[in-house]
Amino acid sequence: MIKWEIPLKTVSEANSSEYWRVKRKRHEEQQFIIRSLFLKEHAPIVLPCTITLSRLSPRLLDCEENLPMAFKWIKDEIGACIFPEKVIVYRNKKGKLVKNKGHADSDPRITWQYDQKKQQQQGIRIEIEF
């Protein structure tokens, strides 16, 4: 079992009305931290596995829709770290190479679960069980 606790802010992406640059900065920060953690730890992931993403925050989100949406970019990055071959690279309209990590987290050998706990300091907990 692998267990990481990271002081990382998450918000419901479904109800967010922030300016797009603020959202993008948060998404890039989340993905950078997750990728750095995977590269630093070098922990081999044995499949099949269950990954539980827990949100630690003073306020709780709706469990059905908002909680999974708060982890969307984190889940995409975890999937891309486990299955780098599923990341699609393409050229956008301006000719820049762009990575689409949204397909890497759909492997049936991974079961995704979500949880949340009330706590003063914001963060996330990632638990990977083999």
Side-chain angles (χ1 to χ4, degrees):
M1 179 174 171
I2 298 171
K3 185 176 182 179
W4 295 314
E5 202 162 306
I6 309 161
L8 190 62
K9 181 181 178 181
T10 55
V11 298
S12 171
E13 301 296 337
N15 294 333
S16 177
S17 60
E18 298 169 310
Y19 187 60
W20 70 269
R21 285 187 181 164
V22 174
K23 285 184 185 184
R24 180 165 176 129
K25 182 179 178 183
R26 182 179 58 250
H27 300 161
E28 287 176 348
E29 178 184 90
Q30 289 174 343
Q31 290 188 326
F32 175 78
I33 290 172
I34 297 300
R35 168 127 346 243
S36 299
L37 185 66
F38 266 84
L39 292 174
K40 178 184 170 193
E41 296 294 327
H42 296 290
I45 307 298
V46 180
L47 298 174
C49 67
T50 300
I51 301 177
T52 304
L53 303 174
S54 301
R55 181 176 184 265
L56 311 171
S57 180
R59 301 180 76 195
L60 299 178
L61 293 177
D62 171 46
C63 294
E64 296 297 318
E65 297 162 358
N66 294 335
L67 185 60
M69 284 300 296
F71 284 107
K72 185 214 179 314
W73 296 91
I74 295 167
K75 182 180 171 185
D76 287 348
E77 190 62 40
I78 291 171
C81 289
I82 297 173
F83 303 107
E85 68 278 359
K86 289 190 176 187
V87 176
I88 298 169
V89 180
Y90 65 94
R91 288 197 185 274
N92 66 9
K93 292 178 182 179
K94 296 180 180 179
K96 182 179 176 185
L97 287 176
V98 179
K99 290 183 181 181
N100 182 346
K101 301 175 184 178
H103 301 283
D105 60 353
S106 63
D107 194 283
R109 295 173 288 177
I110 297 179
T111 303
W112 297 93
Q113 297 178 343
Y114 302 95
D115 192 19
Q116 57 185 334
K117 304 270 190 257
K118 271 194 156 185
Q119 161 178 316
Q120 250 341 85
Q121 187 173 353
Q122 290 188 344
I124 64 168
R125 182 181 304 130
I126 301 171
E127 297 176 60
I128 304 173
E129 297 179 53
F130 310 114

